[in-house]
Amino acid sequence: MKKFINTIDTLLDDSLAGFAKAHADIVKLNRQPHFVSRLNPARSGKVALISGGGSGHEPLHTGFVGMGMLDAACPGQIFTSPTPDQMLAAAQEVENGGGVLFIVKNYAGDVMNFEIAAEMLECPHETVLVSDDVALPKTHSIGRRGVAGTLIVEKIVGAAAESGKDLAACKALGERIAQSTASMGVALSSCTVPALGKPTFELKDDEMEMGVGIHGERGRETMNLLSATEIVDRLASAIDEELQPKSGQAALLHINGSGATPLLELHLIYGLAHQFWEKKGINIARSLVGNYTTSLDMAGCSLTLSLMDEELIRLWDAPVHTAALRWGC
Amino acid sequence: MKKFINTIDTLLDDSLAGFAKAHADIVKLNRQPHFVSRLNPARSGKVALISGGGSGHEPLHTGFVGMGMLDAACPGQIFTSPTPDQMLAAAQEVENGGGVLFIVKNYAGDVMNFEIAAEMLECPHETVLVSDDVALPKTHSIGRRGVAGTLIVEKIVGAAAESGKDLAACKALGERIAQSTASMGVALSSCTVPALGKPTFELKDDEMEMGVGIHGERGRETMNLLSATEIVDRLASAIDEELQPKSGQAALLHINGSGATPLLELHLIYGLAHQFWEKKGINIARSLVGNYTTSLDMAGCSLTLSLMDEELIRLWDAPVHTAALRWGC
């Protein structure tokens, strides 16, 4: 295993320290317990948005803390849920009279720990659960996984909270986006978790993992490598089948890199996915291409389609100032 | 070799098509010959900034086309210089009465082809050569390579051109930044050029390549993997020795990922580099961390330090609207 680290024990702390230094104009870091929060507190009465999850998916979620998006993010150890004390401390730091909305990716550990934190929290609070990964059937025992669509929920609800929407409205909006967002990913190589020191799974030289999860969980099928067009067809078809958008529907198309796939290839994938939906009469009104919900050094990508209307596009376009997404300011 | 491609022959064209679709609000793509230019032409009389180079370093340079930065970028085949007809066609497209400034990374092929284009160009034109890589000695037969510092030249001169500086002033400014910017990189793995289908060089499981170039050229030394602190000490010391900043000097610190290195590690590197210069009394006034000058799927990173003054910081902060850098608008 080759990584830029000093010791495995200090990796997360060292990285968060660097992150906070590099973005000292946007965020501040709390160390015990770990959370990142907005440098400039939101105005009084704004709903406080908090997310979190295992580390190793950067920029998700710490890179989305700032004006117009999250108020705080709680990073767990690598691929490990954050603990309830992190969420509780973050909530106590950023709650400002408008209540707290937790945005949680649907993983058993995350869900449980956010629930425990919510129970201990005395202010009004709600939770939006994101489970956009269509690789697994809806009937899967613990439900579908929350993956790259999460940032779309965070961005749009973040803009709504900033504009003064209350807790109930933010929760309803978050659930509406979560339900109209679907994703699926494919891996060409495994990632290597530093504490393990070896690849999470093995793929032969001519294989890919279709429907992979963001921690390298096996998905639908280990299969022979296909052409980019065939890969996009499979991913996009699964998403399209789930959302069943009608001709004329506006949508946001997000191509997410898993970490080790060049932007050159991600843009190629984008072009093919755009074509796929254009042929069906879908209006790709907004786009996002890059490494946003990564899996350490995995080679791979995911497609996300999120159905939009005028209100959602306006909220997507609203100013945001975070480490990873920044526009309008 | 596992890549998201259809055919090697169409890879670049397919990728550029996707790039242009994804960023259709910022750029337009010319196909024969290949160049990317600003969707909204600059105002009359503005100096037109053009860069280019081999593909495989995305977002460099196409991702830096837009308001406040480049007017056009000419992408060559992967790791191959663009041809003079690309630069000439781009110049003819974007020249708008203020002359053309070419920003060229110091590689023999790039320099030669930009020179040929410049000779054929009838409007006033100048060139800024960037050679920020301190891995090679200044006395190297073809001079030092231009690497991750190039984007700093493009951003700052882009802002100056936008503010109305003339061709001579833009050239002088570009040379000033180029001379006060130094970089050095390290690779933990080779990249794989699609047309070759195998890694460019081999590294053992416990080795790294110190002073690597952005095409995987061997650098100073193949050596055993060191701790992150030791790696940063070597890179930063070489840069510091070159620039010899005095205590109190303001600087921009850029940590660039080579393509396959997680943001988690890049932020860790940032924290260590920040510490290195903080101890010497350097004021790290601005920061940039991420994959900006990549080498396909290479694992590695580079450090860049660029000495700043109030004027340069103001130009760095000026609004920019490109695919890869966006703020203030």
Side-chain angles (χ1 to χ4, degrees):
Chain A
M1 177 186 68
K2 292 191 209 171
K3 307 258 183 202
F4 293 121
I5 57 174
N6 282 326
T7 71
I8 286 170
D9 286 349
T10 59
L11 164 58
L12 181 60
D13 204 55
D14 292 349
S15 177
L16 286 170
F19 172 79
K21 279 271 188 201
H23 304 288
D25 56 329
I26 303 175
V27 300
K28 55 186 174 183
L29 171 65
N30 192 77
R31 279 177 184 271
Q32 289 185 324
H34 274 147
F35 67 85
V36 169
S37 61
R38 283 167 69 154
L39 179 66
N40 301 311
R43 60 165 179 70
S44 177
K46 191 188 94 69
V47 175
L49 262 57
I50 301 179
S51 192
S55 294
H57 306 300
E58 291 69 24
L60 186 84
H61 297 274
T62 50
F64 302 137
V65 172
M67 197 282 294
M69 215 161 162
L70 299 177
D71 293 271
C74 305
Q77 290 295 320
I78 289 176
F79 291 179
T80 304
S81 173
T83 50
D85 62 313
Q86 291 177 256
M87 298 141 188
L88 197 63
Q92 285 161 347
E93 168 80 17
V94 300
E95 206 281 327
N96 201 6
V100 170
L101 185 67
F102 292 117
I103 300 177
V104 182
K105 301 195 298 300
N106 188 32
Y107 289 95
D110 289 13
V111 171
M112 184 179 72
N113 287 352
F114 270 103
E115 272 176 7
I116 295 171
E119 276 171 22
M120 292 160 74
L121 198 61
E122 291 178 355
C123 67
H125 56 270
E126 294 285 358
T127 297
V128 172
L129 205 62
V130 185
S131 53
D132 54 317
D133 187 350
V134 301
L136 298 180
K138 264 192 173 163
T139 53
H140 189 270
S141 61
I142 53 159
R144 285 171 162 174
R145 305 170 296 211
V147 291
T150 311
L151 82 84
I152 301 170
V153 178
E154 293 177 356
K155 169 65 185 83
I156 290 179
V157 179
E162 209 73 54
S163 79
K165 294 274 186 202
D166 69 12
L167 184 57
C170 286
K171 177 184 163 72
L173 178 67
E175 289 184 339
R176 179 155 79 91
I177 306 155
Q179 280 156 22
S180 57
T181 298
S183 304
M184 193 159 126
V186 59
L188 302 189
S189 77
S190 172
C191 52
T192 297
V193 177
L196 296 179
K198 59 186 176 69
T200 308
F201 60 94
E202 291 295 336
L203 281 176
K204 292 190 194 132
D205 280 352
D206 57 352
E207 282 180 348
M208 63 179 180
E209 186 63 33
M210 183 59 71
V212 73
I214 58 172
H215 311 95
E217 306 95 321
R218 285 260 137 105
R220 288 193 170 188
E221 198 180 348
T222 306
M223 58 192 298
N224 283 340
L225 186 63
L226 299 173
S227 73
T229 295
E230 291 166 313
I231 291 171
V232 167
D233 274 349
R234 290 192 178 229
L235 297 173
S237 294
I239 291 166
D240 196 73
E241 197 172 305
E242 175 69 24
L243 296 177
Q244 306 208 349
K246 296 205 176 80
S247 180
Q249 171 71 51
L252 185 161
L253 174 58
H254 172 33
I255 308 300
N256 175 57
S258 306
T261 288
L263 206 46
L264 194 78
E265 294 172 49
L266 298 180
H267 278 125
L268 184 149
I269 293 285
Y270 177 88
L272 296 171
H274 190 282
Q275 249 173 42
F276 177 95
W277 275 296
E278 201 174 41
K279 275 186 197 156
K280 291 178 179 281
I282 307 306
N283 163 28
I284 303 296
R286 293 294 181 274
S287 302
L288 185 69
V289 183
N291 295 317
Y292 291 98
T293 303
T294 59
S295 304
L296 293 168
D297 55 352
M298 184 188 285
C301 72
S302 63
L303 268 60
T304 298
L305 194 76
S306 188
L307 307 186
M308 294 274 131
D309 58 22
E310 276 183 28
E311 182 199 7
L312 297 180
I313 291 175
R314 193 174 41 75
L315 291 167
W316 177 259
D317 289 344
V320 61
H321 189 178
T322 69
L325 285 187
R326 183 172 171 184
W327 55 72
C329 52
Chain B
M1 176 186 68
K2 292 192 209 172
K3 307 258 182 201
F4 293 119
I5 58 173
N6 282 327
T7 70
I8 287 170
D9 286 349
T10 59
L11 163 58
L12 181 60
D13 205 53
D14 293 347
S15 177
L16 286 170
F19 172 79
K21 279 271 186 201
H23 304 288
D25 56 328
I26 303 175
V27 298
K28 55 187 174 183
L29 171 65
N30 193 77
R31 279 176 184 273
Q32 288 185 325
H34 274 146
F35 66 85
V36 169
S37 61
R38 283 168 67 153
L39 179 66
N40 301 310
R43 60 164 180 71
S44 175
K46 190 188 92 70
V47 176
L49 261 58
I50 301 180
S51 191
S55 293
H57 305 301
E58 291 68 24
L60 187 84
H61 298 272
T62 50
F64 302 136
V65 172
M67 196 283 293
M69 217 159 160
L70 298 178
D71 293 270
C74 305
Q77 290 294 322
I78 289 176
F79 291 178
T80 304
S81 173
T83 51
D85 62 314
Q86 291 178 257
M87 298 141 187
L88 196 62
Q92 284 161 348
E93 168 78 18
V94 300
E95 205 281 326
N96 201 8
V100 170
L101 184 67
F102 292 117
I103 300 176
V104 183
K105 301 194 299 302
N106 188 33
Y107 288 96
D110 289 12
V111 171
M112 185 180 71
N113 287 353
F114 271 103
E115 271 176 8
I116 294 171
E119 277 171 24
M120 292 158 72
L121 197 63
E122 291 178 357
C123 68
H125 55 270
E126 294 286 357
T127 297
V128 172
L129 205 62
V130 185
S131 53
D132 54 317
D133 188 350
V134 300
L136 298 181
K138 264 192 174 164
T139 52
H140 189 269
S141 61
I142 55 160
R144 285 170 162 173
R145 306 171 295 214
V147 291
T150 311
L151 82 85
I152 301 170
V153 177
E154 293 176 357
K155 169 66 185 82
I156 290 179
V157 178
E162 209 73 54
S163 80
K165 293 274 187 202
D166 69 11
L167 184 58
C170 286
K171 177 184 165 72
L173 178 67
E175 291 185 335
R176 180 155 77 92
I177 307 156
Q179 281 157 21
S180 56
T181 298
S183 304
M184 193 160 126
V186 60
L188 302 189
S189 77
S190 173
C191 52
T192 297
V193 177
L196 296 179
K198 59 186 175 71
T200 308
F201 60 94
E202 291 294 336
L203 280 176
K204 291 190 194 133
D205 280 352
D206 58 351
E207 281 181 348
M208 63 180 181
E209 187 63 34
M210 182 59 70
V212 73
I214 58 173
H215 311 95
E217 306 94 319
R218 286 258 136 105
R220 287 194 171 186
E221 197 180 348
T222 306
M223 58 191 298
N224 284 338
L225 186 62
L226 298 173
S227 72
T229 296
E230 289 166 315
I231 291 171
V232 167
D233 274 350
R234 287 188 183 234
L235 296 174
S237 294
I239 291 167
D240 196 74
E241 198 172 302
E242 175 69 23
L243 296 177
Q244 308 208 348
K246 295 207 176 77
S247 180
Q249 170 72 51
L252 186 162
L253 174 57
H254 171 34
I255 307 299
N256 176 57
S258 306
T261 289
L263 206 46
L264 193 78
E265 294 172 48
L266 297 181
H267 277 125
L268 185 149
I269 293 285
Y270 177 87
L272 297 171
H274 190 282
Q275 248 173 41
F276 177 96
W277 275 296
E278 202 173 40
K279 275 187 198 155
K280 291 178 179 280
I282 307 307
N283 163 29
I284 303 297
R286 292 295 181 273
S287 301
L288 186 70
V289 183
N291 294 318
Y292 290 97
T293 303
T294 60
S295 304
L296 293 167
D297 55 352
M298 185 189 285
C301 72
S302 63
L303 269 61
T304 298
L305 194 77
S306 188
L307 307 185
M308 295 274 132
D309 57 24
E310 276 182 27
E311 182 199 5
L312 297 181
I313 290 175
R314 192 174 43 74
L315 291 166
W316 176 259
D317 288 345
V320 61
H321 188 178
T322 68
L325 285 187
R326 182 172 171 185
W327 55 70
C329 53

